[in-house]
């Protein structure tokens, strides 16, 4: 696990290092199949609350975004994460979804 050695890191920076490193990669591997069980949940939510654009902060492999992108145009679906490996896989699996690297504390939107 890659833990920062600097003592002056903020808690946010410490967590970004954690999720962007080995811990985040291991989490991605452990949860790879979790997406399959989310279909009924997302169908219920999107029937009840129709949307035209979505943003998930901490999207990982895009397990939620995959279901959302079936209901709205994928170009209107955004996923932000700090883990480059997860974003790379998300981009290859769902190329039309906007997979963006960014810390949650500095979102690149106005």
């Amino acid at each position: 696990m890659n833990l920062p050695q600097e003592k002056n890191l903020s808690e946010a920076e410490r967590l970004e290092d954690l999720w962007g490193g080995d811990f985040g990669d291991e989490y991605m591997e452990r949860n790879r199949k979790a997406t399959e069980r989310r279909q009924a949940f997302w169908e219920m939510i999107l029937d009840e609350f129709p949307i035209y654009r979505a943003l998930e902060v901490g999207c990982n492999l895009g397990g939620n975004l995959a279901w959302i992108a079936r209901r709205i145009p994928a170009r209107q679906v955004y996923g932000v994460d700090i883990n480059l490996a997860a974003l790379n896989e998300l981009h290859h699996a769902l190329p039309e979804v906007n997979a963006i690297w960014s810390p949650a504390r500095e979102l690149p939107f106005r």
Side-chain angles (χ1 to χ4, degrees):
M1 184 180 320
N2 295 335
L3 292 177
Q5 298 301 314
E6 297 180 34
K7 294 181 181 179
N8 294 330
L9 288 179
S10 71
E11 181 65 3
E13 291 168 320
R14 185 189 71 78
L15 291 171
E16 289 163 5
D17 285 346
L18 184 74
W19 285 101
D22 293 342
F23 177 83
D25 292 345
E26 292 164 6
Y27 176 87
M28 179 178 62
E29 292 304 322
R30 282 192 313 271
N31 292 284
R32 200 170 280 283
K33 299 267 185 205
T35 297
E36 299 166 5
R37 299 184 303 262
R38 298 178 186 167
Q39 181 177 6
F41 170 80
W42 281 109
E43 287 177 353
M44 178 189 67
I45 292 295
L46 296 172
D47 283 345
E48 178 90 15
F49 306 100
I51 61 173
Y52 65 93
R53 187 176 302 142
L55 166 64
E56 181 178 12
V57 177
C59 65
N60 200 267
L61 294 169
N64 295 319
L65 302 178
W67 295 112
I68 295 169
R70 291 177 181 214
R71 299 287 288 269
I72 65 174
R75 297 305 290 159
Q76 296 298 324
V77 178
Y78 295 80
V80 173
D81 206 283
I82 199 82
N83 188 290
L84 288 172
L87 288 173
N88 187 44
E89 288 196 38
L90 169 55
H91 178 71
H92 283 95
L94 301 166
E96 296 296 314
V97 166
N98 299 284
I100 302 166
W101 182 93
S102 178
R105 62 190 167 92
E106 297 175 10
L107 294 176
F109 305 102
R110 290 181 183 236

